[in-house]
């Protein structure tokens, strides 16, 4: 069941008070339209009717897609130490409550970035696994190591046997695309499975570039 609440929010720019609907949980099978609103960037976004200031609400949210066997815990945060603390809290509370027992065989993801949340939805909607995608993203960025530190790579779409990735260069303020054959994804995915990486989770996982780096260094799950 999708859950929401009403909050009165003061605009940090002009001070106008506005009532905002905040979603704490989205269950896709009950709220397909809400999922589309999320993918369009309209969920948990504060928009001031007075000065048009827009900002993401700092509200944790749970995203559940039973068809894709995907469960994501989203906690908006950009500070590394706080991210680690929030991740530990989610893992600890889930273990103590035993709530994850009913999600056996699911991919359980802990996410702190809104764009990453949307990206993972697209990845699983296209029938891919984000562990393999994250390795592919590292490979793409490694093609130009001198600029890789200034770039962010995101999965875009899958079409005609090709995976398209969007590469945003923060220094140049430019966006580039990189196309990878589906066969390349399949090869990497098989290699990861053979190395012991499971296509499902035993607990919450933060699958990002750091996770992919560990995989390339020989770690698994």
């Amino acid at each position: 069941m999708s859950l929401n609440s009403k909050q009165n929010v003061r605009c940090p720019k002009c001070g106008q008070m506005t009532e905002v609907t905040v979603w704490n949980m989205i269950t896709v099978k009950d709220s397909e339209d809400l999922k589309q609103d999320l993918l369009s960037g309209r969920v948990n976004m504060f928009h001031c009717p007075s000065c048009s200031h827009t900002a993401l609400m700092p509200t944790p949210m749970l995203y559940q897609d039973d068809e894709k066997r995907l469960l994501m815990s989203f906690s908006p945060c950009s500070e590394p130490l706080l991210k680690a603390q929030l991740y530990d809290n989610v893992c600890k509370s889930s273990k103590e409550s035993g709530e994850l027992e009913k999600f056996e065989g699911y991919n359980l993801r802990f996410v702190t970035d809104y764009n990453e949340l949307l990206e993972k939805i697209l990845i699983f909607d296209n029938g891919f696994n984000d562990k393999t995608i994250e390795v592919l993203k590292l490979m793409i960025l490694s093609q130009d190591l001198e600029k890789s530190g200034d770039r962010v790579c995101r999965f875009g779409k899958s079409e005609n046997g090709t995976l398209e990735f969007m590469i945003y260069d923060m220094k140049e303020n430019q966006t580039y695309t990189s196309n990878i054959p589906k066969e390349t994804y399949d090869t990497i995915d098989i290699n990861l499975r053979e190395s012991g990486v499971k296509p499902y989770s035993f607990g919450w996982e933060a699958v990002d570039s750091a996770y992919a780096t560990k995989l390339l260094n020989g770690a698994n799950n």
Side-chain angles (χ1 to χ4, degrees), residues 9-18 46-54:
V9 180
R10 183 182 301 279
C11 177
K13 189 174 181 179
C14 71
Q16 172 75 31
M17 293 296 296
T18 304
F46 168 76
H47 181 77
C48 180
S50 178
C51 70
S52 298
H53 175 71
T54 300

Side-chain angles (χ1 to χ4, degrees), residues 8-170:
N8 289 315
V9 180
R10 183 182 301 279
C11 177
K13 189 174 181 179
C14 71
Q16 172 75 31
M17 293 296 296
T18 304
E19 185 179 73
V20 180
T21 299
V22 177
W23 290 93
N24 306 103
M25 181 171 183
I26 294 178
T27 305
V28 173
K29 68 178 180 181
D30 300 325
S31 315
E32 186 62 38
D33 291 344
L34 185 57
K35 173 186 175 181
Q36 296 308 314
D37 286 342
L38 175 62
L39 289 172
S40 299
R42 296 195 295 268
V43 171
N44 290 0
M45 283 291 181
F46 168 76
H47 181 77
C48 180
S50 178
C51 70
S52 298
H53 175 71
T54 300
L56 175 67
M57 296 289 292
T59 305
M61 182 183 73
L62 199 64
Y63 176 90
Q64 179 178 339
D65 189 333
D66 294 325
E67 180 183 347
K68 302 297 188 299
R69 301 185 75 78
L70 175 65
L71 183 68
M72 288 194 286
S73 176
F74 173 56
S75 296
C77 176
S78 59
E79 203 279 311
L81 290 178
L82 181 56
K83 283 184 183 181
Q85 182 180 349
L86 290 171
Y87 178 64
D88 289 341
N89 290 343
V90 168
C91 293
K92 182 178 179 181
S93 62
S94 295
K95 184 176 181 179
E96 291 176 347
S97 67
E99 63 186 2
L100 295 184
E101 293 181 1
K102 61 182 178 180
F103 294 106
E104 183 177 354
Y106 275 61
N107 279 290
L108 310 174
R109 298 292 182 262
F110 174 79
V111 182
T112 58
D113 181 83
Y114 194 80
N115 289 324
E116 183 182 359
L117 172 72
L118 304 187
E119 178 190 33
K120 289 191 181 298
I121 294 174
L122 291 177
I123 289 171
F124 284 94
D125 277 359
N126 278 273
F128 302 128
N129 190 282
D130 59 338
K131 295 178 180 180
T132 307
I133 292 293
E134 288 296 334
V135 171
L136 267 176
K137 287 161 61 174
L138 279 187
M139 293 172 60
I140 291 171
L141 291 176
S142 69
Q143 294 174 1
D144 195 339
L145 286 175
E146 291 185 359
K147 296 183 178 181
S148 62
D150 297 318
R151 292 182 169 182
V152 176
C153 183
R154 299 283 186 199
F155 171 78
K157 62 181 180 179
S158 175
E159 193 173 69
N160 299 323
T162 300
L163 282 68
E164 182 179 275
F165 292 82
M166 311 303 293
I167 305 166
Y168 175 64
D169 191 304
M170 295 175 284

